[in-house]
Amino acid sequence: MAVTDAAIDKIKEMILSGELTPGDRLPKEADLAERLGLSRNSLREAVRALALINVLDVRQGDGTYVTSLEPRLLLDTMSFVLDLHRDDTVLQFFEVRRILEPAATAMAARSMTDAEIDELRVILESLPASPTIEELVANDLEFHQRIALGSGNSVLCSFIESLSGPTTRARIWRGLTQEGALDKTREQHTAIYEAIAARQPDLAHSWATVHVAGVESWLRKALA
């Protein structure tokens, strides 16, 4: 592992120094191994490890390339890790959401274009009068993802999207068991939308906090 770690560090240094940039093809394995003073086996293991976390893209018969290195791509592996959470840690994910989503919502109130706000309204109005739990959760996810994207911060957006996975099960559970969950979701989503449309960041932040904290509060009682 120590040799593989050293190989990973050397490839990472090539990227950090600008020697390799997004989209670049790595030199042939034999050439790169000799240049970095590594065995071909350790280089191969390093490439495999970096491909798993979306830093490198191994294309069979074509070569190995540096990916776009966009936050969404690099944080995608975090979603996999978060999906392995235990039920007793889901509250911690909600605590993180309660910090991040209101901030993103306030930023969206400042930076979303009028066209993007109109699209947000369309998402809001697309929820059927009597939706299934699956439709409710899907609409909720799309609504929040669109706001996160509207924050203009791709890293923040990626973090929020990664956190959506672990909380989806809790959302479904809430929809199945809590009376008035649908009406409450509609009401709070509408309030968040109206605050964004009115370009009121503080109000948007407050409503987003109320929305996430409400689910978190219910979940605390359900798990007690």
Side-chain angles (χ1 to χ4, degrees):
M1 281 304 298
V3 177
T4 302
D5 288 344
I8 290 172
D9 285 341
K10 288 184 178 182
I11 296 174
K12 186 172 90 171
E13 182 55 38
M14 292 177 72
I15 295 172
L16 291 174
S17 68
E19 188 174 351
L20 286 174
T21 59
D24 282 353
R25 180 177 177 175
L26 269 64
K28 291 182 178 179
E29 184 182 271
D31 295 339
L32 186 58
E34 182 179 357
R35 176 178 164 189
L36 297 178
L38 301 167
S39 71
R40 293 179 67 170
N41 280 339
S42 62
L43 177 60
R44 203 170 292 136
E45 288 298 321
V47 168
R48 188 176 293 117
L50 290 170
L52 284 173
I53 60 172
N54 296 329
V55 172
L56 297 180
D57 178 21
V58 180
R59 304 175 190 174
Q60 203 65 35
D62 186 23
T64 300
Y65 293 79
V66 180
T67 67
S68 65
L69 301 179
E70 293 179 355
R72 181 187 299 269
L73 184 65
L74 297 180
L75 289 171
D76 188 51
T77 39
M78 188 173 77
S79 298
F80 175 78
V81 174
L82 295 180
D83 282 340
L84 299 176
H85 80 287
R86 303 184 311 274
D87 285 343
D88 61 353
T89 63
V90 71
L91 279 171
Q92 295 177 23
F93 290 114
F94 270 102
E95 288 171 352
V96 176
R97 279 190 58 208
R98 183 158 40 85
I99 295 169
L100 297 183
E101 285 198 28
T105 306
M107 292 167 68
R110 299 187 188 96
S111 62
M112 286 183 81
T113 65
D114 290 342
E116 289 171 338
I117 292 175
D118 285 341
E119 290 172 1
L120 192 63
R121 176 182 52 78
V122 170
I123 293 170
L124 195 64
E125 294 174 349
S126 68
L127 187 65
S130 300
T132 63
I133 296 301
E134 289 75 16
E135 287 173 331
L136 176 60
V137 173
N139 186 271
D140 186 40
L141 285 170
E142 186 178 7
F143 181 78
H144 288 290
Q145 286 171 351
R146 192 62 63 92
I147 291 173
L149 187 63
S151 71
N153 186 310
S154 60
V155 175
L156 180 58
C157 178
S158 297
F159 270 119
I160 290 173
E161 289 189 356
S162 295
L163 287 167
S164 295
T167 58
T168 297
R169 191 156 34 144
R171 284 172 170 159
I172 293 174
W173 186 15
R174 183 192 192 208
L176 286 169
T177 61
Q178 187 179 40
E179 186 177 353
L182 172 59
D183 291 339
K184 190 170 293 185
T185 297
R186 283 188 192 276
E187 175 188 321
Q188 293 173 353
H189 279 190
T190 299
I192 290 170
Y193 160 74
E194 289 177 347
I196 291 174
R199 306 292 185 184
Q200 294 181 293
D202 291 343
L203 186 58
H205 186 286
S206 296
W207 271 115
T209 301
V210 167
H211 184 54
V212 178
V215 183
E216 181 187 342
S217 176
W218 167 81
L219 190 57
R220 284 186 187 280
K221 293 175 183 176
L223 293 176

